[in-house]
Amino acid sequence: MKREIVIPKIIKSGANEPELAAGAVQAPRIIAVTSGKGGVGKTNLTVNLGLAMASLNRKVIIFDADLGLANAEILLGVHPPYSLYDCIHRNRDIAEVICPAPGGIKIISGGSGILGLANLDDINHRRLMDSLQVLNNLADFILIDTGAGISRNVLAFLAAAEEVIVVVVPEPTSLTDSYGLIKVLAKYNLHREVSLVVNRARNDSEATQTAKKIDQVAGRFLDLKVNYIGFIPESKVVNESVRRQEPFAVYARQSEPARCVLGIARALLGEEAPAKPRHGITGFARKLVRLFR
């Protein structure tokens, strides 16, 4: 049976955001990491990519927006005492929600607080925006670990983020679901281009062929550019890092997966020259609140 893709009207109506005025202060790059299906290593990439960026002297905050799973926290072996829920509903300052993690990065747990964004009154909305402002000075990159698929919550984060990385593995179901996700982003004009990372590839050739398949189909049928920025090989090191709750970018820095994720980080840093002013964390949060509402 053919699967029907249903897009909430709220996403479509929030797609076209006004640009910031010329001369706006530069802010962190906000990148959402997502996938068409679960189980492809999206969170593992997010965590290790953040650590690779930190090793290149960039300040990184990971925002765990995968509702109810908190996999980024598990992979990092940390237990944040507070989440965004506490910031929204219990008057905790955002500084109390930021949790230090290995490798010099920081993590913010979204928790069930994400769902509360839809019900913020004006006073709490203003307080949250004021609180989040501090993040603009604490990070060069904010990586958002979203859920998988095309649910309303996932699409809201993708629409609000300024950049999107799609993670795919060399399997037919992953290819199909990833293309379905990219198709939605193109159809509703949420993004004009996305970055692509191939995970669990046997070698560079398989990764390149996987990326080429998506790029060719997207180029033929969609008005959206797909930028292949690298791959992570299938490796026992990755599986071991999950069991150890210690990212491979930390404990196996000379391994092939660690070298590959460092290459992906460098590919992203090579695109640092801004073509336009960035919205910053408060711009992202305002748009996200509107989308959730």
Side-chain angles (χ1 to χ4, degrees):
M1 182 176 65
K2 185 177 180 180
R3 184 179 60 179
E4 181 182 2
I5 299 175
V6 179
I7 304 299
K9 292 181 180 180
I10 194 168
I11 296 294
K12 185 176 180 181
S13 64
N16 298 316
E17 286 292 310
E19 299 294 340
L20 293 182
V25 176
Q26 283 302 318
R29 286 174 65 179
I30 300 176
I31 305 176
V33 184
T34 191
S35 60
K37 60 171 293 196
V40 300
K42 165 184 58 61
T43 301
N44 217 335
L45 173 70
T46 305
V47 166
N48 285 282
L49 178 59
L51 290 164
M53 288 176 168
S55 74
L56 296 172
N57 299 316
R58 298 309 192 276
K59 296 178 291 184
V60 179
I61 293 176
I62 292 177
F63 180 62
D64 193 341
D66 197 346
L67 291 178
L69 296 180
N71 286 336
E73 302 164 27
I74 295 171
L75 289 176
L76 285 163
V78 298
H79 305 282
Y82 305 111
S83 73
L84 188 64
Y85 180 92
D86 298 289
C87 187
I88 293 174
H89 299 288
R90 295 174 179 167
N91 294 319
R92 292 287 180 182
D93 189 83
I94 192 67
E96 298 178 90
V97 177
I98 300 172
C99 178
I105 66 175
K106 298 178 175 64
I107 186 168
I108 295 175
S109 173
S112 58
I114 294 172
L115 298 177
L117 293 174
N119 301 312
L120 283 178
D121 58 31
D122 290 340
I123 293 176
N124 283 323
H125 177 268
R126 191 178 304 111
R127 184 178 60 80
L128 177 62
M129 295 304 124
D130 291 342
S131 181
L132 288 174
Q133 185 68 38
V134 70
L135 299 183
N136 283 331
N137 298 320
L138 295 180
D140 301 309
F141 285 84
I142 296 178
L143 303 180
I144 303 168
D145 182 32
T146 75
I150 53 174
S151 71
R152 170 181 172 152
N153 291 334
V154 171
L155 290 175
F157 278 101
L158 299 185
E162 295 172 350
E163 302 175 54
V164 172
I165 296 176
V166 178
V167 183
V168 62
V169 297
E171 298 173 0
T173 53
S174 178
L175 287 169
T176 301
D177 289 343
S178 295
Y179 175 72
L181 171 62
I182 293 171
K183 182 178 179 180
V184 170
L185 297 181
K187 180 177 180 180
Y188 292 92
N189 197 30
L190 303 184
H191 288 277
R192 294 179 180 177
E193 63 181 275
V194 298
S195 296
L196 185 73
V197 171
V198 179
N199 194 26
R200 298 178 189 162
R202 288 175 293 182
N203 49 50
D204 178 70
S205 177
E206 182 178 56
T208 301
Q209 288 300 315
T210 300
K212 187 178 294 185
K213 289 177 182 177
I214 293 181
D215 181 54
Q216 287 176 341
V217 178
R220 182 181 303 174
F221 299 107
L222 307 176
D223 184 21
L224 184 146
K225 182 180 179 182
V226 176
N227 300 313
Y228 172 52
I229 59 173
F231 80 103
I232 307 294
E234 183 73 62
S235 173
K236 293 180 180 179
V237 170
V238 178
N239 298 329
E240 179 65 20
S241 73
V242 174
R243 286 193 291 269
R244 292 168 57 126
Q245 289 185 260
E246 189 176 4
F248 59 79
V250 171
Y251 96 90
R253 295 181 181 179
Q254 301 306 314
S255 66
E256 187 178 5
R259 291 197 301 271
C260 285
V261 82
L262 187 61
I264 294 170
R266 285 178 171 142
L268 288 169
L269 295 181
E271 302 168 359
E272 276 191 314
K276 60 182 180 180
R278 299 173 195 154
H279 294 272
I281 186 63
T282 47
F284 165 79
R286 287 192 184 98
K287 186 172 182 180
L288 188 64
V289 169
R290 285 197 292 272
L291 290 169
F292 270 91
R293 283 177 171 173

